[in-house]
Protein backbone atom coordinates (compact mmCIF):
# COMPACT_ATOMS: atom_id res chain seq x y z
CA UNK A 1 0.00 0.00 0.00
CA UNK A 2 1.22 3.51 -0.75
CA UNK A 3 1.73 5.56 2.38
CA UNK A 4 0.25 8.94 3.19
CA UNK A 5 1.58 11.70 5.40
CA UNK A 6 -0.86 11.59 8.30
CA UNK A 7 0.25 14.92 9.75
CA UNK A 8 -0.72 16.65 6.51
CA UNK A 9 -3.86 14.69 5.70
CA UNK A 10 -6.93 16.90 5.10
CA UNK A 11 -9.28 16.74 8.03
CA UNK A 12 -12.94 15.71 7.64
CA UNK A 13 -15.49 18.48 7.61
CA UNK A 14 -16.70 19.26 11.12
CA UNK A 15 -18.28 22.09 13.04
CA UNK A 16 -20.38 25.13 12.14
CA UNK A 17 -19.48 28.10 9.99
CA UNK A 18 -17.80 30.20 12.68
CA UNK A 19 -16.06 33.06 10.87
CA UNK A 20 -16.75 35.61 8.18
CA UNK A 21 -14.44 36.33 5.25
CA UNK A 22 -13.83 39.67 3.56
CA UNK A 23 -12.83 40.61 0.04
CA UNK A 24 -9.10 41.16 -0.34
CA UNK A 25 -8.69 42.12 -4.00
CA UNK A 26 -10.92 42.57 -7.05
CA UNK A 27 -9.31 42.74 -10.49
CA UNK A 28 -10.59 42.46 -14.06
CA UNK A 29 -9.04 39.64 -16.08
CA UNK A 30 -9.63 38.72 -19.76
CA UNK A 31 -10.73 35.07 -19.86
CA UNK A 32 -10.32 32.82 -22.90
CA UNK A 33 -13.43 30.90 -23.99
CA UNK A 34 -13.53 27.56 -25.77
CA UNK A 35 -14.22 29.19 -29.14
CA UNK A 36 -11.08 31.33 -28.86
CA UNK A 37 -12.90 34.56 -28.00
CA UNK A 38 -12.37 36.60 -24.85
CA UNK A 39 -14.61 37.96 -22.12
CA UNK A 40 -13.72 40.12 -19.14
CA UNK A 41 -14.39 38.62 -15.73
CA UNK A 42 -13.67 39.93 -12.26
CA UNK A 43 -11.40 37.72 -10.18
CA UNK A 44 -11.80 38.15 -6.44
CA UNK A 45 -9.58 36.97 -3.59
CA UNK A 46 -10.52 36.79 0.09
CA UNK A 47 -9.17 37.20 3.59
CA UNK A 48 -10.26 35.07 6.53
CA UNK A 49 -11.29 31.86 4.77
CA UNK A 50 -11.67 28.99 7.23
CA UNK A 51 -9.06 26.67 5.72
CA UNK A 52 -6.46 29.36 4.88
CA UNK A 53 -6.24 28.33 1.22
CA UNK A 54 -6.23 30.65 -1.80
CA UNK A 55 -9.70 30.11 -3.26
CA UNK A 56 -11.04 32.65 -5.77
CA UNK A 57 -14.32 33.80 -7.21
CA UNK A 58 -14.60 34.51 -10.94
CA UNK A 59 -17.57 36.79 -11.54
CA UNK A 60 -19.19 37.44 -14.90
CA UNK A 61 -21.71 40.33 -14.88
CA UNK A 62 -25.36 39.36 -14.58
CA UNK A 63 -28.61 41.27 -14.25
CA UNK A 64 -30.26 38.41 -12.33
CA UNK A 65 -31.01 39.08 -8.66
CA UNK A 66 -30.36 35.42 -7.84
CA UNK A 67 -27.05 34.54 -9.51
CA UNK A 68 -26.17 31.26 -11.17
CA UNK A 69 -23.24 29.74 -9.26
CA UNK A 70 -20.81 26.92 -9.96
CA UNK A 71 -18.66 25.63 -7.09
CA UNK A 72 -15.77 23.93 -8.88
CA UNK A 73 -13.06 21.99 -7.08
CA UNK A 74 -9.60 22.42 -8.55
CA UNK A 75 -8.36 19.58 -10.73
CA UNK A 76 -4.88 20.34 -12.05
CA UNK A 77 -4.78 17.19 -14.15
CA UNK A 78 -8.13 17.87 -15.80
CA UNK A 79 -8.46 21.66 -15.73
CA UNK A 80 -4.92 22.41 -16.94
CA UNK A 81 -3.63 19.30 -18.69
CA UNK A 82 -6.89 17.97 -20.09
CA UNK A 83 -6.71 14.58 -18.37
CA UNK A 84 -9.27 12.14 -19.74
CA UNK A 85 -9.55 10.27 -16.42
CA UNK A 86 -12.29 12.65 -15.26
CA UNK A 87 -14.77 15.23 -16.57
CA UNK A 88 -13.44 18.22 -14.60
CA UNK A 89 -11.83 20.09 -17.49
CA UNK A 90 -14.91 19.93 -19.73
CA UNK A 91 -17.16 20.94 -16.82
CA UNK A 92 -14.99 23.99 -16.15
CA UNK A 93 -14.88 25.00 -19.83
CA UNK A 94 -18.64 24.52 -20.09
CA UNK A 95 -19.43 26.79 -17.15
CA UNK A 96 -16.97 29.51 -18.20
CA UNK A 97 -18.60 29.61 -21.64
CA UNK A 98 -22.06 29.66 -20.07
CA UNK A 99 -21.29 32.39 -17.53
CA UNK A 100 -19.59 34.52 -20.18
CA UNK A 101 -22.89 34.41 -22.06
CA UNK A 102 -25.43 34.67 -19.24
CA UNK A 103 -23.47 35.89 -16.22
CA UNK A 104 -22.68 33.99 -13.07
CA UNK A 105 -20.25 33.31 -10.25
CA UNK A 106 -17.61 30.60 -10.44
CA UNK A 107 -16.12 29.67 -7.07
CA UNK A 108 -12.83 27.93 -7.78
CA UNK A 109 -11.86 25.95 -4.69
CA UNK A 110 -8.41 24.54 -4.03
CA UNK A 111 -9.72 21.11 -3.04
CA UNK A 112 -7.80 18.83 -5.37
CA UNK A 113 -8.76 15.17 -5.54
CA UNK A 114 -12.03 15.54 -3.58
CA UNK A 115 -10.01 17.23 -0.87
CA UNK A 116 -7.06 14.83 -0.47
CA UNK A 117 -4.55 16.97 -2.39
CA UNK A 118 -2.67 16.58 -5.66
CA UNK A 119 0.06 14.18 -4.52
CA UNK A 120 -2.42 11.93 -2.76
CA UNK A 121 -4.66 12.01 -5.83
CA UNK A 122 -1.78 10.79 -7.97
CA UNK A 123 -1.16 8.06 -5.38
CA UNK A 124 -4.83 7.12 -5.71
CA UNK A 125 -4.46 6.93 -9.49
CA UNK A 126 -1.56 4.53 -9.00
CA UNK A 127 -3.68 2.38 -6.65
CA UNK A 128 -6.52 2.35 -9.20
CA UNK A 129 -4.17 1.20 -11.94
CA UNK A 130 -2.33 -1.42 -9.84
CA UNK A 131 -5.32 -2.90 -8.01
CA UNK A 132 -8.22 -2.23 -10.36
CA UNK A 133 -10.05 -0.09 -7.79
CA UNK A 134 -12.50 2.71 -8.46
CA UNK A 135 -11.89 6.26 -7.26
CA UNK A 136 -13.74 5.87 -3.96
CA UNK A 137 -12.15 2.52 -3.13
CA UNK A 138 -8.70 3.94 -3.92
CA UNK A 139 -9.27 6.77 -1.45
CA UNK A 140 -10.23 4.26 1.22
CA UNK A 141 -7.14 2.16 0.45
CA UNK A 142 -5.08 5.26 1.27
CA UNK A 143 -7.02 5.82 4.51
CA UNK A 144 -9.08 8.73 3.24
CA UNK A 145 -12.86 8.99 3.20
CA UNK A 146 -14.68 8.97 -0.13
CA UNK A 147 -14.97 12.76 -0.28
CA UNK A 148 -13.09 15.14 2.03
CA UNK A 149 -14.43 18.39 0.59
CA UNK A 150 -15.92 21.00 2.92
CA UNK A 151 -17.91 23.81 1.33
CA UNK A 152 -17.80 26.20 4.29
CA UNK A 153 -15.33 28.36 2.39
CA UNK A 154 -17.76 28.60 -0.53
CA UNK A 155 -20.39 29.95 1.86
CA UNK A 156 -17.89 32.43 3.30
CA UNK A 157 -17.07 33.63 -0.22
CA UNK A 158 -20.74 34.03 -1.15
CA UNK A 159 -21.45 35.97 2.03
CA UNK A 160 -18.48 38.26 1.36
CA UNK A 161 -20.01 38.88 -2.07
CA UNK A 162 -23.35 39.66 -0.35
CA UNK A 163 -25.01 36.63 -1.94
CA UNK A 164 -27.46 34.62 0.17
CA UNK A 165 -29.66 33.05 -2.54
CA UNK A 166 -28.33 31.20 -5.55
CA UNK A 167 -29.16 28.96 -8.47
CA UNK A 168 -26.56 26.19 -8.40
CA UNK A 169 -25.08 24.35 -11.35
CA UNK A 170 -24.04 20.92 -10.09
CA UNK A 171 -24.70 17.20 -10.23
CA UNK A 172 -23.54 16.69 -6.65
CA UNK A 173 -26.27 16.47 -3.97
CA UNK A 174 -23.72 16.74 -1.14
CA UNK A 175 -22.72 20.16 -2.45
CA UNK A 176 -26.35 21.31 -2.33
CA UNK A 177 -26.84 19.89 1.16
CA UNK A 178 -23.72 21.51 2.60
CA UNK A 179 -24.46 24.94 1.15
CA UNK A 180 -28.01 24.80 2.52
CA UNK A 181 -26.82 23.53 5.91
CA UNK A 182 -24.47 26.51 6.14
CA UNK A 183 -27.29 28.96 5.36
CA UNK A 184 -27.28 29.53 1.60
CA UNK A 185 -30.72 29.30 -0.05
CA UNK A 186 -30.40 27.11 -3.16
CA UNK A 187 -33.46 28.08 -5.18
CA UNK A 188 -32.72 25.94 -8.21
CA UNK A 189 -30.32 23.13 -9.07
CA UNK A 190 -29.23 22.91 -12.69
CA UNK A 191 -27.17 19.88 -13.77
CA UNK A 192 -24.01 20.19 -15.80
CA UNK A 193 -23.59 18.50 -19.13
CA UNK A 194 -22.57 14.83 -19.25
CA UNK A 195 -19.04 14.85 -20.63
CA UNK A 196 -18.67 11.12 -21.14
CA UNK A 197 -15.84 9.58 -23.12
CA UNK A 198 -14.47 6.10 -23.56
CA UNK A 199 -11.81 6.86 -20.94
CA UNK A 200 -13.99 8.39 -18.19
CA UNK A 201 -17.15 6.28 -18.49
CA UNK A 202 -16.35 4.12 -15.43
CA UNK A 203 -15.38 7.22 -13.43
CA UNK A 204 -18.76 8.81 -14.16
CA UNK A 205 -20.62 5.57 -13.44
CA UNK A 206 -19.00 5.30 -10.01
CA UNK A 207 -19.82 8.95 -9.22
CA UNK A 208 -23.44 8.24 -10.06
CA UNK A 209 -23.74 4.87 -8.32
CA UNK A 210 -21.64 5.51 -5.21
CA UNK A 211 -21.51 9.29 -4.95
CA UNK A 212 -25.17 9.89 -5.75
CA UNK A 213 -24.38 12.37 -8.53
CA UNK A 214 -27.26 13.05 -10.91
CA UNK A 215 -25.53 11.67 -13.99
CA UNK A 216 -27.64 9.77 -16.48
CA UNK A 217 -25.52 7.35 -18.48
CA UNK A 218 -27.37 5.73 -21.35
CA UNK A 219 -25.98 2.24 -21.77
CA UNK A 220 -22.90 0.68 -20.27
CA UNK A 221 -20.40 1.59 -23.00
CA UNK A 222 -19.55 4.35 -25.43
Amino acid sequence: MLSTSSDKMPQPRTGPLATEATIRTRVEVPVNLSDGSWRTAEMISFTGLADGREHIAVVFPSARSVPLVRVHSECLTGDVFGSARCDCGPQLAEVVDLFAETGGILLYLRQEGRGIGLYNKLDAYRVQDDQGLDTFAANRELNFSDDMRDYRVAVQMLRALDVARIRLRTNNPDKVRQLEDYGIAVEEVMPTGIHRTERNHDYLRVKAEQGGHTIELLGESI
Side-chain angles (χ1 to χ4, degrees):
M1 179 191 301
L2 292 170
S3 63
T4 58
S5 178
S6 59
D7 61 330
K8 295 183 180 180
M9 286 172 61
Q11 297 302 306
R13 49 182 180 263
T14 58
L17 184 67
T19 61
E20 297 293 334
T22 58
I23 291 174
R24 169 175 168 163
T25 302
R26 309 178 78 122
V27 60
E28 290 189 346
V29 176
V31 176
N32 191 215
L33 308 183
S34 61
D35 65 0
S37 63
W38 298 84
R39 295 290 189 279
T40 298
E42 187 177 39
M43 291 193 177
I44 302 173
S45 60
F46 300 86
T47 299
L49 295 175
D51 61 7
R53 297 178 182 175
E54 295 183 331
H55 311 288
I56 65 166
V58 184
V59 180
F60 293 87
S62 173
R64 298 287 296 265
S65 59
V66 180
L68 184 58
V69 172
R70 166 70 180 169
V71 180
H72 185 91
S73 296
E74 177 185 49
C75 175
L76 180 73
T77 52
D79 296 344
V80 177
F81 295 105
S83 167
R85 295 185 75 129
C86 64
D87 61 341
C88 302
Q91 281 189 329
L92 180 61
E94 172 193 72
V95 79
V96 169
D97 286 350
L98 174 66
F99 287 2
E101 179 73 21
T102 67
I105 301 171
L106 168 65
L107 302 183
Y108 194 82
L109 304 188
R110 313 300 294 276
Q111 299 189 141
E112 184 83 40
R114 297 190 185 125
I116 68 174
L118 177 60
Y119 280 16
N120 288 324
K121 184 177 84 169
L122 295 180
D123 287 345
Y125 281 173
R126 172 70 178 275
V127 168
Q128 290 172 48
D129 292 344
D130 289 350
Q131 301 185 33
L133 301 179
D134 62 51
T135 54
F136 292 116
N139 270 25
R140 294 191 292 269
E141 181 71 11
L142 296 176
N143 297 315
F144 294 112
S145 62
D146 289 356
D147 194 333
M148 304 283 288
R149 288 174 293 180
D150 186 329
Y151 297 106
R152 282 178 291 183
V153 289
V155 174
Q156 288 182 298
M157 294 161 77
L158 290 171
R159 288 182 176 176
L161 295 171
D162 199 27
V163 173
R165 298 158 53 231
I166 65 173
R167 295 173 295 132
L168 186 64
R169 191 168 180 87
T170 186
N171 301 325
N172 185 352
D174 182 56
K175 193 176 295 183
V176 179
R177 181 188 60 77
Q178 286 199 47
L179 294 179
E180 291 180 332
D181 285 350
Y182 289 132
I184 296 297
V186 180
E187 297 194 351
E188 182 182 5
V189 177
M190 304 172 60
T192 72
I194 306 302
H195 304 285
R196 185 179 66 154
T197 68
E198 181 178 353
R199 292 179 180 271
N200 71 15
H201 176 77
D202 287 342
Y203 164 85
L204 293 178
R205 178 181 53 78
V206 169
K207 280 210 299 186
E209 293 178 356
Q210 298 190 40
H213 290 226
T214 54
I215 300 172
E216 294 185 9
L217 298 175
L218 302 178
E220 287 300 315
S221 61
I222 292 295

